């Protein structure tokens, strides 16, 4: 079972913001005392914290899915929704945080370093916060926005002063066990060390850390063996200690050839920008296993050649502890010199200049994209995307409020400049986003429109008639009336009906007892 993990992918989901509340205060003798809807609470952030007491990413390897709580919705009587607490995730020192595409976000090398990797959603405003002199009782509230959701990568690069490098089974684990309190697994087969081991060493008044990392073979910089798993943990070290096996049983190996292979792999590994190449860092050599007679002879034979190359060489034995004290103090001296140089470099670091936002930065971009039925105009920007999330599209007044906000931001003008016309397809946000059929008439003055709460007369389907349309409708009605009068006159002249002003004659009755009706004669003017 794994006990050390140095690379994981976290699946994070920050909490959503709570929705604002739509409420109107009602009291005795005050049926409409004004809006009193409270704001929604914010969702919880997810924060990474560099903790010196954490040494592995094993906990996140076993449970990579993490989510924070949502914010509470607002309530009436000006009661705001509860805000969720942030979630803190502790990571070891030396953890590099990357996004899903592998872009570096932060390098957590300082204790207590914090970074918000998944911000929570923003709570929506209630109708009390949206009220103004012209909009006294809004019939809508803003919705809470979604929290960040996605993947991040955590890559652990061991932070140590000295890295022990060498072939498998060269004695690196035995050395760190001999000079510190670390107890790594030690066996007589290659690649016993599968993950870095850290040990703290005291040399007089100097205390430093030593990293025992997996063994190195030829081709490690290309991923052979444990390759990159080894080299990743060498990046952060101040000095390198080459452990050369002087008692190897492999006839094709010797300390000089082993050193050449190791140097070639260190030279081929690219370090991050701003760091020293591995071969430019202080390097010492320890010729190990001199407790074996053949090993001592070989160490004495190759030591002059190594010193001629400019290295400080120490003959040691991790079994008898011979030569370890001299090596310990030499390493402490090298580490102390590196710390002094690092402090001087820190003192002359350039100042960080924070530049304000440009005055001509509108905060959004209009992109024209081709489509099957004409151009599509996509709006990308933090504010428009957030405003769309906050809008309740079932409420006409909320939609009108969104139209006013977008127009005041200048989106209408930018769409005109981009060539959009009435009816053009507009998408706000990346991907599928929110699709609109753009109507440039929805521009402003929502506060001045008198309509029931929750409605906006600008969004009604009724269309205002023009003067020509009204004139044509009037003439049509007049023609219909004239045709009806002409028909009545024709029927009357044909004797089909009378006006009812006939002369009554009591002697003349019809068979059913009613008085017969005769057509009325109209007099014409001479």
């Amino acid at each position: 079972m794994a006990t050390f993990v140095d690379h994981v992918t976290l699946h994070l989901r920050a909490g959503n913001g709570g929705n604002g509340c739509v409420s109107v205060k009602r009291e005795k003798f005050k049926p409409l005392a004004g809006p009193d809807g409270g704001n929604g609470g914010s969702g919880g952030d997810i924060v990474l914290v560099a903790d010196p007491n954490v040494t592995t990413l094993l906990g996140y390897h076993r449970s990579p899915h993490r989510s924070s709580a949502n914010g509470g919705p607002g309530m009436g009587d000006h009661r705001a929704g509860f805000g969720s607490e942030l979630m803190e995730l502790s990571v070891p020192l030396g953890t590099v945080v990357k996004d899903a595409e592998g872009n570096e976000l932060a390098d957590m090398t300082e204790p207590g370093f914090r970074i918000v990797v998944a911000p929570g959603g923003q709570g929506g405003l209630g109708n009390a916060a949206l009220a103004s002199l012209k909009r006294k009782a809004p019939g809508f509230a803003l919705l809470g926005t979604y929290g960040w959701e996605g993947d991040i990568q955590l890559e652990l690069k061991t932070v140590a002063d000295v890295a022990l490098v060498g072939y498998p089974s060269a004695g690196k684990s035995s050395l760190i066990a001999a000079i510190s309190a670390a107890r790594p697994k030690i066996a007589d087969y290659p690649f016993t060390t599968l993950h870095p081991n850290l040990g703290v060493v005291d040399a007089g008044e100097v205390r430093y850390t030593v990293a025992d990392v997996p063994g190195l073979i030829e081709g490690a910089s290309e991923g052979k063996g444990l390759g990159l798993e080894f080299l990743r943990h060498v990046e952060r070290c101040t000095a390198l200690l080459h452990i050369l096996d002087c008692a190897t049983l492999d006839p094709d190996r010797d300390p000089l050839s082993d050193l050449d292979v190791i140097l070639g792999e260190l030279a081929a590994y690219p370090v991050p920008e701003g760091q020293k190449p591995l071969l430019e860092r202080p390097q010492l050599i320890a010729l190990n296993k001199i407790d074996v007679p053949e090993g001592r002879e070989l160490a004495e034979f190759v030591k002059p050649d190594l010193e001629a190359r400019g290295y400080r060489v120490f003959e040691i034995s991790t079994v008898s502890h011979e030569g370890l004290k001299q090596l310990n103090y030499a390493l402490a001296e090298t580490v102390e010199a590196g710390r002094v140089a690092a402090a001087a470099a820190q003192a002359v670091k350039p100042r960080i200049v924070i530049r304000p936002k440009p005055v001509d930065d509108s905060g959004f971009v209009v992109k024209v994209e081709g489509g099957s039925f004409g151009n599509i105009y996509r709006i990308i920007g933090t504010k428009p995307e957030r405003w769309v999330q906050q809008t309740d599209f079932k409420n006409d007044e909320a939609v009108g409020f969104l139209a006013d906000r977008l127009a005041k931001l200048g989106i209408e003008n930018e769409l005109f400049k981009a060539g959009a016309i009435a009816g053009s397809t507009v998408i706000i946000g990346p991907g599928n986003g929110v699709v609109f059929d753009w109507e440039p008439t929805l521009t402003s003055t929502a506060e001045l429109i008198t309509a029931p709460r929750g409605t906006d007369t600008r969004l009604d389907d009724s269309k205002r008639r023009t003067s020509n349309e009204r004139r044509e409708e009037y003439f049509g009605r007049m023609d219909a009336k004239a045709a009806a009068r002409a028909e009545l006159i024709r029927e009357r002249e044909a004797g089909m009906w009378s006006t009812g002003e006939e002369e009554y004659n009591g002697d003349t009755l019809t068979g059913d007892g009613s008085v017969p009706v005769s057509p009325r004669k109209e007099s014409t003017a001479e």
Side-chain angles (χ1 to χ4, degrees), residues 397-427:
E397 190 177 355
V399 176
F401 180 69
L402 171 64
D404 297 337
R405 300 176 86 179
L406 296 177
K408 292 176 181 178
L409 190 61
I411 288 181
E412 294 278 345
N413 297 331
E414 293 299 324
L415 287 174
F416 274 120
K417 293 179 182 178
I421 59 176
S424 296
T425 302
V426 176
I427 303 178

Side-chain angles (χ1 to χ4, degrees), residues 82 135 144 200 279 353 365 413 482 511:
F82 62 88
R135 189 194 295 110
V200 180
L279 293 185
V353 179
V365 177
N413 297 331

